[in-house]
Amino acid sequence: MAVHRIEILGVPVDICPREELESEILKILEKPGTKQIIFLNIWGLLKARHKNDFSECIKNADLILPVSKSILKGAKFLKKQIPVRYNQFTTIIQILTTLDSHFKTLYLLGGRQENLTIAERNVHDTFPNLRIIGRCVGYYQKSWEGRIIESLYKSSPSLALISEGFAEKELWAYRRRNQFSSSIFIYYKDVIGIFSKRIKRTDEKVFEKGHEIYHEVVRNPLKIFLIFPFIKYKILLLWYRLFKKNK
């Protein structure tokens, strides 16, 4: 089954069968210019419903992979084809495995210096054929940005992984897309932390049950207030089911 795009509450979401992920990554690599793969949760989906940079970023992304179980339930409730849900870190491992088997290149961005160094070493040990051609810490001084962009432009990595310390998150690459050569950009806040073993990755069984939000609340109790946008999401689904035509 080929990869195709649906809309949930007016926001694009890709249906990418797991067996098609590798070939889809290789197709995206062949495209010219800046490319972007987005991990979409329901909070991002709600944000993308408004006219803003994030909405445009989502619409122009080359691959939009849902990570929230609620997105799948929403698709089912709206009587649409149900997408495949992806675990961010597991998917990044799959992508790096694909790049490693094709002798591609990687650029790491984000995290503190010590964690970035450990992460780079661990990635190199795990993917020996994947050449790491650059790295940059997060939380950098604004005056460094020109050099970071120039380095990315000149090195033109196959993949640039963006992690913590980039306040604009997915929008960092999108807003600067015309200043790069030809790379795929992926943002996942915890990726450097997990590779450096500073952060423990979400257990696969917890992810499959859709309970990862509880672990996030433990790490950051303020996330308990996400219950309010979640209620909004449920109300919007009902509204679309009753009054909107499915696309």
PDB file of all heavy atoms in Angstrom, residues 82 151 156 159 163 199 226:
ATOM      1  N   ILE A  82      -7.493   4.507   9.107  1.00  0.00           N
ATOM      2  CA  ILE A  82      -6.721   4.707  10.331  1.00  0.00           C
ATOM      3  C   ILE A  82      -5.218   4.697  10.021  1.00  0.00           C
ATOM      4  O   ILE A  82      -4.705   3.735   9.437  1.00  0.00           O
ATOM      5  CB  ILE A  82      -7.045   3.626  11.373  1.00  0.00           C
ATOM      6  CG1 ILE A  82      -8.547   3.648  11.694  1.00  0.00           C
ATOM      7  CG2 ILE A  82      -6.232   3.834  12.645  1.00  0.00           C
ATOM      8  CD1 ILE A  82      -9.002   2.533  12.605  1.00  0.00           C
ATOM      9  N   SER A 151      27.357  25.951   8.126  1.00  0.00           N
ATOM     10  CA  SER A 151      27.899  24.603   8.250  1.00  0.00           C
ATOM     11  C   SER A 151      26.933  23.569   7.679  1.00  0.00           C
ATOM     12  O   SER A 151      27.336  22.640   6.967  1.00  0.00           O
ATOM     13  CB  SER A 151      28.184  24.304   9.720  1.00  0.00           C
ATOM     14  OG  SER A 151      28.636  22.979   9.885  1.00  0.00           O
ATOM     15  N   SER A 156      25.702  19.723   3.862  1.00  0.00           N
ATOM     16  CA  SER A 156      24.524  19.118   3.237  1.00  0.00           C
ATOM     17  C   SER A 156      24.315  17.676   3.695  1.00  0.00           C
ATOM     18  O   SER A 156      24.354  16.737   2.889  1.00  0.00           O
ATOM     19  CB  SER A 156      24.654  19.168   1.710  1.00  0.00           C
ATOM     20  OG  SER A 156      23.467  18.745   1.086  1.00  0.00           O
ATOM     21  N   LEU A 159      20.669  13.711   6.749  1.00  0.00           N
ATOM     22  CA  LEU A 159      19.703  13.923   7.824  1.00  0.00           C
ATOM     23  C   LEU A 159      20.292  14.843   8.884  1.00  0.00           C
ATOM     24  O   LEU A 159      21.448  14.680   9.285  1.00  0.00           O
ATOM     25  CB  LEU A 159      19.316  12.587   8.476  1.00  0.00           C
ATOM     26  CG  LEU A 159      18.435  12.658   9.732  1.00  0.00           C
ATOM     27  CD1 LEU A 159      17.061  13.224   9.398  1.00  0.00           C
ATOM     28  CD2 LEU A 159      18.303  11.277  10.380  1.00  0.00           C
ATOM     29  N   SER A 163      17.382  18.443  18.459  1.00  0.00           N
ATOM     30  CA  SER A 163      16.941  18.022  19.777  1.00  0.00           C
ATOM     31  C   SER A 163      16.750  19.233  20.684  1.00  0.00           C
ATOM     32  O   SER A 163      16.540  20.361  20.201  1.00  0.00           O
ATOM     33  CB  SER A 163      17.979  17.043  20.367  1.00  0.00           C
ATOM     34  OG  SER A 163      17.550  16.522  21.605  1.00  0.00           O
ATOM     35  N   ILE A 199      18.372  10.476  29.343  1.00  0.00           N
ATOM     36  CA  ILE A 199      16.924  10.323  29.407  1.00  0.00           C
ATOM     37  C   ILE A 199      16.573   8.880  29.069  1.00  0.00           C
ATOM     38  O   ILE A 199      17.120   8.301  28.117  1.00  0.00           O
ATOM     39  CB  ILE A 199      16.214  11.277  28.427  1.00  0.00           C
ATOM     40  CG1 ILE A 199      16.489  12.736  28.804  1.00  0.00           C
ATOM     41  CG2 ILE A 199      14.710  11.020  28.398  1.00  0.00           C
ATOM     42  CD1 ILE A 199      15.927  13.733  27.811  1.00  0.00           C
ATOM     43  N   LEU A 226      -2.921  19.706  30.130  1.00  0.00           N
ATOM     44  CA  LEU A 226      -3.209  19.303  28.755  1.00  0.00           C
ATOM     45  C   LEU A 226      -4.583  18.643  28.644  1.00  0.00           C
ATOM     46  O   LEU A 226      -5.072  18.419  27.536  1.00  0.00           O
ATOM     47  CB  LEU A 226      -2.122  18.344  28.250  1.00  0.00           C
ATOM     48  CG  LEU A 226      -0.739  18.951  28.005  1.00  0.00           C
ATOM     49  CD1 LEU A 226       0.257  17.867  27.632  1.00  0.00           C
ATOM     50  CD2 LEU A 226      -0.794  20.024  26.914  1.00  0.00           C
TER      51      LEU A 226
END
